[in-house]
Amino acid sequence: MSDDDSDTAKPASLLTKTQRSRICAAFAEQDKHQRRRDQQQIRERVWAGVTDFDLLADYPDRQFELAFDDLDDEEMTATLADVWLVTERLRALRGIERKAVIECASERSSALSSETEGESIDNVELVPAATYRQQGRAAAEAEHRNRWDERVDSLLKTAAVAALPLLVGWFADTVTEQNLLATRAEVGIAMAFSALVVLVVAASVFLIKGAQALKHDIIPATRRFREDPTAIVNNMTAALRRPGAKLRAIWDEL
């Protein structure tokens, strides 16, 4: 049996067998009127199916285990990923904050935990969106941190220490009547040495960061553009679409 046949043989749930086939074929065999009719029917079934999840929130664990017993972990992971993607799209389309959804789910979980048959609902960890972002940033920083980043940090600390004599000398020369730079050679030498250290450090940091940008950003972007310029243009076009939604997402991530 082919993949298409196996998909069509699935029992009707959110979508009927015919609707699945027509979605896979992008409604190619339907005229305009039939397409609108089918899409309307699909919208109604999707709405009815998604809103049925309030009944499944406290469905017994054993029934879930039996329902998905024929799926291995890889297939189950892909299925859950699709479910998560659909729910996130619905949330984004309505402009609902992820934090609000998580808080509502936490309240539902607390209310149902004593009534649900099984332990899965007590093992669900619903973490606020801000915590997810912080964990994600920490993981990304730990993954991408390397010896050159540590060297840049050391150089910046060196520049901060070297800048102290400059600040102290400038402050002393400003608040006192003596012209320390002109009358005290050791002060001038110390400040000149400090300025030289700061300049050398700044140049070193600029070269390191420039080399990293060249290696990790510019060269890969140039290679991707040469291999598939259409995809780059499409990505740029997609980034310019729905500016309001993009700004709202950026605001949520702050």
Side-chain angles (χ1 to χ4, degrees):
M1 182 181 293
S2 66
D3 292 340
D4 291 340
D5 292 337
S6 61
D7 288 342
T8 304
K10 292 180 180 178
S13 53
L14 280 178
L15 304 175
T16 67
K17 300 174 185 178
T18 301
Q19 287 170 344
R20 291 195 195 104
S21 299
R22 289 177 179 172
I23 289 177
C24 291
F27 303 96
E29 298 179 358
Q30 279 68 48
D31 58 28
K32 190 174 182 180
H33 172 73
Q34 291 173 329
R35 185 182 300 112
R36 284 201 302 265
R37 180 201 60 199
D38 289 347
Q39 289 174 338
Q40 173 65 28
Q41 293 174 348
I42 289 172
R43 289 196 299 269
E44 292 173 354
R45 290 186 65 91
V46 169
W47 175 86
V50 171
T51 53
D52 273 345
F53 274 90
D54 66 330
L55 301 175
L56 297 175
D58 59 346
Y59 204 54
D61 284 359
R62 181 55 180 164
Q63 296 303 315
F64 280 134
E65 292 174 353
L66 292 173
F68 296 99
D69 186 56
D70 61 334
L71 295 182
D72 58 29
D73 289 346
E74 184 176 352
E75 292 172 323
M76 192 65 188
T77 299
T79 299
L80 293 174
D82 289 332
V83 172
W84 179 80
L85 180 58
V86 170
T87 57
E88 279 294 286
R89 289 184 63 193
L90 292 174
R91 181 193 61 78
L93 283 170
R94 295 297 293 267
I96 299 173
E97 292 186 1
R98 185 179 291 109
K99 181 179 179 181
V101 177
I102 293 176
E103 289 176 351
C104 184
S106 298
E107 294 174 359
R108 288 275 288 152
S109 175
S110 299
L112 297 173
S113 60
S114 60
E115 304 173 2
T116 303
E117 182 181 329
E119 300 180 354
S120 63
I121 195 166
D122 295 323
N123 296 330
V124 172
E125 296 182 0
L126 298 169
V127 183
T131 304
Y132 279 124
R133 289 197 295 270
Q134 292 173 358
Q135 293 174 347
R137 290 170 182 166
E141 290 175 358
E143 181 180 356
H144 292 92
R145 192 169 185 82
N146 55 34
R147 287 183 297 174
W148 282 106
D149 290 328
E150 295 175 355
R151 289 166 182 165
V152 167
D153 288 342
S154 299
L155 287 172
L156 292 175
K157 292 175 183 177
T158 302
V161 173
L164 288 177
L166 286 174
L167 297 175
V168 172
W170 172 82
F171 181 76
D173 192 60
T174 302
V175 300
T176 60
E177 296 181 355
Q178 300 178 357
N179 189 345
L180 296 178
L181 293 177
T183 59
R184 303 291 297 271
E186 61 273 18
V187 175
I189 293 174
M191 294 187 67
F193 179 76
S194 297
L196 179 62
V197 171
V198 171
L199 289 174
V200 170
V201 168
S204 301
V205 171
F206 177 81
L207 290 175
I208 292 172
K209 289 299 181 181
Q212 287 179 331
L214 181 64
K215 178 180 179 180
H216 300 292
D217 299 316
I218 298 175
I219 292 178
T222 303
R223 185 180 296 115
R224 288 195 300 270
F225 183 78
R226 291 179 58 187
E227 293 173 352
D228 192 359
T230 304
I232 300 297
V233 173
N234 291 338
N235 290 338
M236 294 176 62
T237 304
L240 296 176
R241 293 174 183 167
R242 297 170 55 85
K246 296 292 191 305
L247 291 175
R248 185 167 54 248
I250 292 173
W251 176 261
D252 291 340
E253 292 175 357
L254 290 176

